[in-house]
Amino acid sequence: MKLRELKPKRIDRYIIKQFLGTFIFTMTGIILIVVVFDVNEKIDKFMAPEITLKEIIVDYYINFIPYFLSMFASLFTFIAVIFFTSRLADRSEIIAMLSTGMSFDRLMLPYGISAGIIAISMFTLSAFIIPPANKKRINFEDTYIRKKKVEYARNVQLEVEPGIFAYFDRYSNASRMGYSFSIERFEGKTLVSRLTANSIKYDSLYHWTIIDYIIRDFDGMYEHITSGTRRDTTLRFVPTDFLIAENDCETMTSPELATHIARQKKRGIGNIQTFEIEYHKRYANALSFLILTLIGVSLSSYKKKGGMGLNIGVGLGLSFSYILFMTVTSSFAVSGLVSPMIASWIPNIIYTFIAIFLYRKAPR
C-alpha cells in the first residue's frame, strides 16, 4: 500500500462516522435495556426507606453505566462492526468501493482508526476514570444490595519490612482489633526478637496499640524478656493490606494496581491473582477491539443469502465465546494453573489467529 493511499478520503470519514455512530447507538440501546432489567431485579431493595432516589441515581446508576460499558465495550464494538458492515454489503456499497480500485487492505484503514479511537477511549476509562466511580458503586451495593463487606480476616501473615514478619490469628474491622498477634524480627535466618500480644488495636495510618504483650530478645544462648499492658507503636501496614474483597481490584487505577501488586508481593501476601488479572486484562482488552473489528469486517463484508441475520448470529456467537474464554482463562489464573498475564492474553492470541484466517478468506 502506497503512502499517499493512506491519506484520509471522504469514504474514510463516511465509514468512521457510520462505525462510531453505530457503536454509540448499539451501546446506548443495550445499556438502556440493561438498566431497565437491573431496576426490575433490584426494585425491592430500592424501595427500602433508608435509600434515597438521589443515592440510586447518583451513587449507583451513574457509576454502574460506565462499569457495564467498559465490561462489554468489545461486544458492543463487534455488534456495531457486524451490523454496519453487513448493511454496507447488503446495499452493494463494499462492492462499489472495491470496483473503483480500492484494495481490501485499504478498506480496513477507517475501520482500524475507529477501533483505535474506541480502544484508547475504553482503556483510559477503565484504567483511570472508572475505578474511582466503582468505589461508590461497590459501596452502595455492599450497603444496600448485598449487605456484605469484608470485616474479618483469619490467619494473616505478612512481611512488614525486610526480615520482619507479623501474624494475626484473626482481625475484626468493626472493632479495629487483632487477636493473638505476634511479630518476629530476623537477621538472616536467625530469630533475634519476638513479640506476642493478646490483642492489637489499629488507630490511624501505621499507628497501632499493642495490648498485654511480651517481648523476647535473643542474644545467642541468652534471652531478655520485657512485658507490659499497653504500648503504642508504628507498624508499616494497615488493615486494607489484608482485608481484601474480591472486587477491590475494580476500585484501583492501573498505577495503583501496579503499586499494590508490587507491595503485596514484597510482603509475601498471597491472594493477589485477581489484582494481577485485572491489571493485565485492561491492556489485553484494548487490543481486543482491533482483533474483533478485523473478525467482524472479514465475516460481514460480502452478501449472504441469509442476509444480515446470519452475519449477526455468527458474530454474536464468536463475541460471546471470546468473553466466555476470557472468564475461563481467568479462573485458571485464580487457581494457579497459569500466570495472570498469560491467562489475560491467551484469548487475544487465539483470536488473532482466527482473525488472520478469516481476513485471508474474505473476498477481495
Side-chain angles (χ1 to χ4, degrees), residues 2 10 13 43 46 64 69 83 128 130 136 138 142 144 159 175 213 226 229 231 256 263 282 358:
K2 295 180 180 179
R10 181 180 295 179
R13 292 191 292 270
I43 189 66
F46 292 159
F64 170 80
L69 170 61
F83 183 79
F128 301 103
I130 292 176
K136 292 183 178 181
I138 292 172
D142 288 341
Y144 299 117
E159 185 176 13
S175 61
Y213 65 91
T226 305
T229 57
R231 179 171 180 169
E256 288 172 344
R263 184 182 182 191
R282 292 176 184 178
L358 292 174

Side-chain angles (χ1 to χ4, degrees), residues 34-46 60-61 145:
V34 169
V35 168
V36 169
F37 276 98
D38 192 69
V39 170
N40 184 64
E41 180 184 355
K42 297 183 174 66
I43 189 66
D44 57 329
K45 305 287 186 181
F46 292 159
Y60 183 62
Y61 278 111
I145 307 301

Side-chain angles (χ1 to χ4, degrees), residues 27 31 34 38 42 59-74 76 122 125-126 129-138 141 146 246-247 249-251 278 281-282 285:
M27 174 188 68
I31 285 178
V34 169
D38 192 69
K42 297 183 174 66
D59 292 345
Y60 183 62
Y61 278 111
I62 286 182
N63 298 309
F64 170 80
I65 290 172
Y67 165 74
F68 184 84
L69 170 61
S70 68
M71 200 172 179
F72 293 102
S74 57
F76 299 153
M122 289 300 106
L125 281 172
S126 63
I129 298 173
I130 292 176
N134 279 339
K135 291 181 181 179
K136 292 183 178 181
R137 176 184 61 82
I138 292 172
E141 291 178 340
R146 291 190 295 262
E246 183 179 353
N247 50 13
C249 58
E250 298 173 2
T251 66
E278 178 68 21
K281 188 169 68 174
R282 292 176 184 178
N285 281 345

Side-chain angles (χ1 to χ4, degrees), residues 28-306:
T28 304
I30 294 178
I31 285 178
L32 287 174
I33 294 171
V34 169
V35 168
V36 169
F37 276 98
D38 192 69
V39 170
N40 184 64
E41 180 184 355
K42 297 183 174 66
I43 189 66
D44 57 329
K45 305 287 186 181
F46 292 159
M47 295 300 291
E50 63 269 20
I51 307 179
T52 65
L53 181 62
K54 180 182 177 182
E55 288 176 316
I56 296 172
I57 296 174
V58 176
D59 292 345
Y60 183 62
Y61 278 111
I62 286 182
N63 298 309
F64 170 80
I65 290 172
Y67 165 74
F68 184 84
L69 170 61
S70 68
M71 200 172 179
F72 293 102
S74 57
L75 174 61
F76 299 153
T77 303
F78 198 60
I79 294 173
V81 171
I82 291 286
F83 183 79
F84 164 59
T85 309
S86 295
R87 190 171 56 189
L88 290 181
D90 195 54
R91 296 188 302 211
S92 301
E93 292 183 60
I94 291 181
I95 294 175
M97 295 176 198
L98 298 178
S99 65
T100 61
M102 177 186 287
S103 66
F104 193 78
D105 295 336
R106 177 60 180 80
L107 178 64
M108 287 300 304
L109 177 63
Y111 282 96
I113 293 173
S114 302
I117 291 172
I118 296 173
I120 293 171
S121 302
M122 289 300 106
F123 176 77
T124 303
L125 281 172
S126 63
F128 301 103
I129 298 173
I130 292 176
N134 279 339
K135 291 181 181 179
K136 292 183 178 181
R137 176 184 61 82
I138 292 172
N139 183 63
F140 180 92
E141 291 178 340
D142 288 341
T143 304
Y144 299 117
I145 307 301
R146 291 190 295 262
K147 296 185 178 181
K148 180 181 179 181
K149 290 186 178 182
V150 178
E151 297 286 350
Y152 299 93
R154 295 192 64 89
N155 297 323
V156 178
Q157 183 174 344
L158 68 159
E159 185 176 13
V160 181
E161 295 176 12
I164 300 177
F165 300 87
Y167 172 80
F168 294 91
D169 176 64
R170 67 187 188 279
Y171 180 85
S172 169
N173 196 44
S175 61
R176 308 181 100 184
M177 294 288 294
Y179 301 94
S180 298
F181 174 75
S182 66
I183 188 165
E184 300 174 340
R185 183 164 64 88
F186 289 82
E187 291 182 359
K189 296 183 178 181
T190 304
L191 178 64
V192 296
S193 179
R194 186 172 192 266
L195 177 150
T196 56
N198 287 336
S199 59
I200 183 171
K201 183 175 179 64
Y202 176 65
D203 182 22
S204 56
L205 184 63
Y206 301 138
H207 186 264
W208 297 78
T209 300
I210 302 173
I211 302 168
D212 295 334
Y213 65 91
I214 297 176
I215 302 175
R216 290 180 170 84
D217 295 311
F218 304 100
D219 184 13
M221 298 294 293
Y222 298 95
E223 178 182 357
H224 179 68
I225 299 177
T226 305
S227 61
T229 57
R230 193 176 187 90
R231 179 171 180 169
D232 294 334
T233 187
T234 299
L235 298 173
R236 301 291 296 180
F237 62 89
V238 292
T240 52
D241 288 336
F242 48 83
L243 289 174
I244 301 172
E246 183 179 353
N247 50 13
D248 281 351
C249 58
E250 298 173 2
T251 66
M252 298 182 183
T253 64
S254 289
E256 288 172 344
L257 271 175
T259 301
H260 178 80
I261 292 167
R263 184 182 182 191
Q264 299 297 76
K265 281 185 175 180
K266 184 178 180 181
R267 290 184 168 181
I269 299 177
N271 198 27
I272 60 170
Q273 291 93 338
T274 54
F275 293 85
E276 293 181 289
I277 291 169
E278 178 68 21
Y279 178 77
H280 293 294
K281 188 169 68 174
R282 292 176 184 178
Y283 290 93
N285 281 345
L287 182 61
S288 71
F289 294 103
L290 299 172
I291 297 171
L292 292 176
T293 296
L294 184 59
I295 293 175
V297 177
S298 302
L299 280 174
S300 55
S301 57
Y302 56 96
K303 284 187 177 182
K304 292 186 176 70
K305 290 183 179 180

